[in-house]
Amino acid sequence: MAKVAVDVMLKPEILDPQGQAIVRALPGLGFDQVTAVRQGKHFEVELDAADAAEAHAQAEKIAATLLANPVIEDFSVRLLD
Amino acid sequence: MAKVAVDVMLKPEILDPQGQAIVRALPGLGFDQVTAVRQGKHFEVELDAADAAEAHAQAEKIAATLLANPVIEDFSVRLLD
């Protein structure tokens, strides 16, 4: 059993209004040093795999098939344990 | 300038219907080995800070104040560069 994190973010050239709203809200809450925020999705996937390499490969396929929209989003996969 | 990732997840005892929908969809796409999925939010925050420790501390405060709802969500902070 492996646990894998998949982070899905809008590609850098795609506008991220949620992130921009956070940047605009932070100074009013006393946080003046933030210059940029991008918001994406985070998935924690538990799956049966023979080893870490297989778990990573399966999670990449799942991310490309279902979790991310490759037209507008990039994703990254990392093993948690 | 530091870049920090903040992952916000529903607490384990809170139902996650989005994650459950993904688990149910995966076998139909040929992925049979997934046993659980939890979906959360991922933020990438760029901020001015004197050092890595200050950047981490600021990101923790921002997460607790604005990015996460501490009643139903947990968050984790990690420096990206």
PDB file of all heavy atoms in Angstrom, chain A residues 26-39:
ATOM      1  N   LEU A  26      -4.964  39.613   1.377  1.00  0.00           N
ATOM      2  CA  LEU A  26      -3.967  39.448   2.450  1.00  0.00           C
ATOM      3  C   LEU A  26      -3.526  40.766   3.106  1.00  0.00           C
ATOM      4  O   LEU A  26      -3.403  40.805   4.341  1.00  0.00           O
ATOM      5  CB  LEU A  26      -2.760  38.660   1.927  1.00  0.00           C
ATOM      6  CG  LEU A  26      -3.019  37.156   1.791  1.00  0.00           C
ATOM      7  CD1 LEU A  26      -1.878  36.496   1.030  1.00  0.00           C
ATOM      8  CD2 LEU A  26      -3.172  36.506   3.161  1.00  0.00           C
ATOM      9  N   PRO A  27      -3.266  41.863   2.360  1.00  0.00           N
ATOM     10  CA  PRO A  27      -2.833  43.085   3.057  1.00  0.00           C
ATOM     11  C   PRO A  27      -3.842  43.548   4.113  1.00  0.00           C
ATOM     12  O   PRO A  27      -3.454  44.000   5.188  1.00  0.00           O
ATOM     13  CB  PRO A  27      -2.683  44.106   1.924  1.00  0.00           C
ATOM     14  CG  PRO A  27      -2.401  43.268   0.723  1.00  0.00           C
ATOM     15  CD  PRO A  27      -3.237  42.022   0.904  1.00  0.00           C
ATOM     16  N   GLY A  28      -5.128  43.416   3.826  1.00  0.00           N
ATOM     17  CA  GLY A  28      -6.144  43.823   4.790  1.00  0.00           C
ATOM     18  C   GLY A  28      -6.147  42.975   6.048  1.00  0.00           C
ATOM     19  O   GLY A  28      -6.703  43.367   7.076  1.00  0.00           O
ATOM     20  N   LEU A  29      -5.518  41.815   5.991  1.00  0.00           N
ATOM     21  CA  LEU A  29      -5.415  40.933   7.155  1.00  0.00           C
ATOM     22  C   LEU A  29      -4.055  41.074   7.840  1.00  0.00           C
ATOM     23  O   LEU A  29      -3.737  40.314   8.752  1.00  0.00           O
ATOM     24  CB  LEU A  29      -5.629  39.470   6.722  1.00  0.00           C
ATOM     25  CG  LEU A  29      -7.032  39.162   6.185  1.00  0.00           C
ATOM     26  CD1 LEU A  29      -7.042  37.813   5.475  1.00  0.00           C
ATOM     27  CD2 LEU A  29      -8.041  39.162   7.316  1.00  0.00           C
ATOM     28  N   GLY A  30      -3.240  42.007   7.363  1.00  0.00           N
ATOM     29  CA  GLY A  30      -1.960  42.253   8.016  1.00  0.00           C
ATOM     30  C   GLY A  30      -0.777  41.533   7.390  1.00  0.00           C
ATOM     31  O   GLY A  30       0.316  41.544   7.949  1.00  0.00           O
ATOM     32  N   PHE A  31      -0.979  40.918   6.223  1.00  0.00           N
ATOM     33  CA  PHE A  31       0.121  40.208   5.550  1.00  0.00           C
ATOM     34  C   PHE A  31       0.545  41.007   4.318  1.00  0.00           C
ATOM     35  O   PHE A  31      -0.119  40.970   3.279  1.00  0.00           O
ATOM     36  CB  PHE A  31      -0.315  38.793   5.157  1.00  0.00           C
ATOM     37  CG  PHE A  31      -0.738  37.954   6.328  1.00  0.00           C
ATOM     38  CD1 PHE A  31      -2.082  37.713   6.581  1.00  0.00           C
ATOM     39  CD2 PHE A  31       0.201  37.409   7.184  1.00  0.00           C
ATOM     40  CE1 PHE A  31      -2.475  36.941   7.668  1.00  0.00           C
ATOM     41  CE2 PHE A  31      -0.188  36.639   8.271  1.00  0.00           C
ATOM     42  CZ  PHE A  31      -1.520  36.407   8.517  1.00  0.00           C
ATOM     43  N   ASP A  32       1.640  41.752   4.454  1.00  0.00           N
ATOM     44  CA  ASP A  32       2.048  42.674   3.395  1.00  0.00           C
ATOM     45  C   ASP A  32       3.134  42.102   2.483  1.00  0.00           C
ATOM     46  O   ASP A  32       3.488  42.708   1.490  1.00  0.00           O
ATOM     47  CB  ASP A  32       2.591  43.968   4.023  1.00  0.00           C
ATOM     48  CG  ASP A  32       1.498  44.757   4.714  1.00  0.00           C
ATOM     49  OD1 ASP A  32       0.353  44.742   4.203  1.00  0.00           O
ATOM     50  OD2 ASP A  32       1.782  45.353   5.768  1.00  0.00           O
ATOM     51  N   GLN A  33       3.729  40.980   2.861  1.00  0.00           N
ATOM     52  CA  GLN A  33       4.913  40.552   2.109  1.00  0.00           C
ATOM     53  C   GLN A  33       4.603  39.557   0.989  1.00  0.00           C
ATOM     54  O   GLN A  33       5.517  39.067   0.338  1.00  0.00           O
ATOM     55  CB  GLN A  33       5.998  39.994   2.991  1.00  0.00           C
ATOM     56  CG  GLN A  33       5.889  39.344   4.302  1.00  0.00           C
ATOM     57  CD  GLN A  33       4.715  39.358   5.214  1.00  0.00           C
ATOM     58  OE1 GLN A  33       3.537  39.385   4.815  1.00  0.00           O
ATOM     59  NE2 GLN A  33       5.001  39.244   6.457  1.00  0.00           N
ATOM     60  N   VAL A  34       3.323  39.241   0.758  1.00  0.00           N
ATOM     61  CA  VAL A  34       2.997  38.239  -0.268  1.00  0.00           C
ATOM     62  C   VAL A  34       2.932  38.892  -1.636  1.00  0.00           C
ATOM     63  O   VAL A  34       2.252  39.902  -1.821  1.00  0.00           O
ATOM     64  CB  VAL A  34       1.665  37.537   0.070  1.00  0.00           C
ATOM     65  CG1 VAL A  34       1.276  36.589  -1.051  1.00  0.00           C
ATOM     66  CG2 VAL A  34       1.800  36.785   1.378  1.00  0.00           C
ATOM     67  N   THR A  35       3.658  38.339  -2.608  1.00  0.00           N
ATOM     68  CA  THR A  35       3.692  38.925  -3.943  1.00  0.00           C
ATOM     69  C   THR A  35       2.866  38.134  -4.957  1.00  0.00           C
ATOM     70  O   THR A  35       2.455  38.689  -5.968  1.00  0.00           O
ATOM     71  CB  THR A  35       5.142  39.018  -4.455  1.00  0.00           C
ATOM     72  OG1 THR A  35       5.734  37.722  -4.373  1.00  0.00           O
ATOM     73  CG2 THR A  35       5.954  39.975  -3.594  1.00  0.00           C
ATOM     74  N   ALA A  36       2.634  36.857  -4.721  1.00  0.00           N
ATOM     75  CA  ALA A  36       1.860  36.063  -5.673  1.00  0.00           C
ATOM     76  C   ALA A  36       1.293  34.825  -4.976  1.00  0.00           C
ATOM     77  O   ALA A  36       1.929  34.258  -4.083  1.00  0.00           O
ATOM     78  CB  ALA A  36       2.732  35.626  -6.846  1.00  0.00           C
ATOM     79  N   VAL A  37       0.097  34.429  -5.389  1.00  0.00           N
ATOM     80  CA  VAL A  37      -0.521  33.182  -4.911  1.00  0.00           C
ATOM     81  C   VAL A  37      -1.150  32.496  -6.112  1.00  0.00           C
ATOM     82  O   VAL A  37      -1.805  33.150  -6.933  1.00  0.00           O
ATOM     83  CB  VAL A  37      -1.610  33.448  -3.841  1.00  0.00           C
ATOM     84  CG1 VAL A  37      -2.307  32.145  -3.450  1.00  0.00           C
ATOM     85  CG2 VAL A  37      -1.028  34.121  -2.608  1.00  0.00           C
ATOM     86  N   ARG A  38      -0.918  31.203  -6.244  1.00  0.00           N
ATOM     87  CA  ARG A  38      -1.619  30.395  -7.245  1.00  0.00           C
ATOM     88  C   ARG A  38      -2.352  29.297  -6.491  1.00  0.00           C
ATOM     89  O   ARG A  38      -1.797  28.680  -5.577  1.00  0.00           O
ATOM     90  CB  ARG A  38      -0.643  29.737  -8.232  1.00  0.00           C
ATOM     91  CG  ARG A  38       0.243  30.691  -9.000  1.00  0.00           C
ATOM     92  CD  ARG A  38      -0.403  31.344 -10.191  1.00  0.00           C
ATOM     93  NE  ARG A  38      -0.675  30.416 -11.288  1.00  0.00           N
ATOM     94  CZ  ARG A  38      -1.352  30.766 -12.385  1.00  0.00           C
ATOM     95  NH1 ARG A  38      -1.828  31.997 -12.514  1.00  0.00           N
ATOM     96  NH2 ARG A  38      -1.559  29.904 -13.346  1.00  0.00           N
ATOM     97  N   GLN A  39      -3.604  29.051  -6.853  1.00  0.00           N
ATOM     98  CA  GLN A  39      -4.376  28.005  -6.178  1.00  0.00           C
ATOM     99  C   GLN A  39      -4.582  26.828  -7.109  1.00  0.00           C
ATOM    100  O   GLN A  39      -4.884  27.004  -8.296  1.00  0.00           O
ATOM    101  CB  GLN A  39      -5.744  28.545  -5.726  1.00  0.00           C
ATOM    102  CG  GLN A  39      -6.590  27.446  -5.075  1.00  0.00           C
ATOM    103  CD  GLN A  39      -7.816  27.949  -4.370  1.00  0.00           C
ATOM    104  OE1 GLN A  39      -8.015  29.146  -4.217  1.00  0.00           O
ATOM    105  NE2 GLN A  39      -8.658  27.036  -3.912  1.00  0.00           N
TER     106      GLN A  39
END
